[in-house]
Amino acid sequence: MPPTVSVLVPVYNGEAFIEGTIGEILAQPFDDIEVIVTDNASADDTPRLLESIAARDERVLVVRNPKNLGLNRNFRAGLELSNGTYVKWQAADDYLNPEFIPEAISIFESSPDVSLVIGEMPPVAEDRTPLPWDEEQRGFISGHGEIVPRLPIPEAVESDDPVVRFRSVVEDVTRNLIAEFVYGVFRGSTVRSANTLDVY
């Protein structure tokens, strides 16, 4: 029986973060998942770490590309192997909120017309802990004391017209390199029916 959620982790030279990232995925209070890691011919210690992780948890499948396929093809490789009703890409160096996956699933189950659930992506420090928010300065405080502003959400995402919403997201991603929509949870049937997948 297919898993409820496929979590796809494309990685290249991720030895500093990959154990923490996969650990956060596996620690989600939702066990019916598969984790598919596509290693894009890493030249560091990533392959050895992934082999160790997969040996400890049967939910983890590691696929090592014989050569670097480039970013988009590596993202697609995980999708092509996935079986989940829902699909989530997870950046190899991103923090994952401990309740994110079950909360996303509950939204899908209560709203059958929803195709994508995203959350905020606050910036994190090098140890992957979220940066603190400064309400007075309306920004996150970096480890060096600098203010990192939150990018505004375009008003058009509230439009009743799905074409306007989609165009707004695409244009904003291009303009500001916002990745929230890529790293949300997709309804699998929707994302698999797309003719192309160019995430960046």
Side-chain angles (χ1 to χ4, degrees), residues 95-114:
Y95 167 82
L96 181 62
N97 184 289
E99 303 283 336
F100 182 74
I101 290 177
E103 288 184 9
I105 299 307
S106 69
I107 292 172
F108 281 117
E109 291 179 346
S110 63
S111 306
D113 58 333
V114 169

Side-chain angles (χ1 to χ4, degrees), residues 110-133:
S110 63
S111 306
D113 58 333
V114 169
S115 293
L116 169 64
V117 176
I118 63 173
E120 283 191 300
M121 291 183 67
V124 297
E126 287 186 7
D127 65 358
R128 300 172 72 249
T129 56
L131 297 182
W133 172 257

Side-chain angles (χ1 to χ4, degrees), residues 18-19 22 37 39 45-57 60-62 64:
I18 194 65
E19 287 186 293
I22 296 178
V37 187
D39 176 18
D45 206 27
T46 298
R48 184 190 65 79
L49 295 172
L50 290 174
E51 184 178 329
S52 175
I53 293 166
R56 296 193 304 266
D57 197 309
V60 179
L61 170 67
V62 175
R64 180 165 166 77

Side-chain angles (χ1 to χ4, degrees), residues 77-93:
L79 180 63
E80 290 166 2
L81 293 167
S82 68
N83 298 294
T85 304
Y86 305 102
V87 174
K88 178 189 180 352
W89 278 278
Q90 178 70 23
D93 59 352

Side-chain angles (χ1 to χ4, degrees), residues 6 8 34 36 38 61 63 76-83 192:
S6 297
L8 315 178
E34 63 177 1
I36 301 173
T38 48
L61 170 67
V63 177
R76 283 195 295 268
L79 180 63
E80 290 166 2
L81 293 167
S82 68
N83 298 294
R192 291 187 184 101

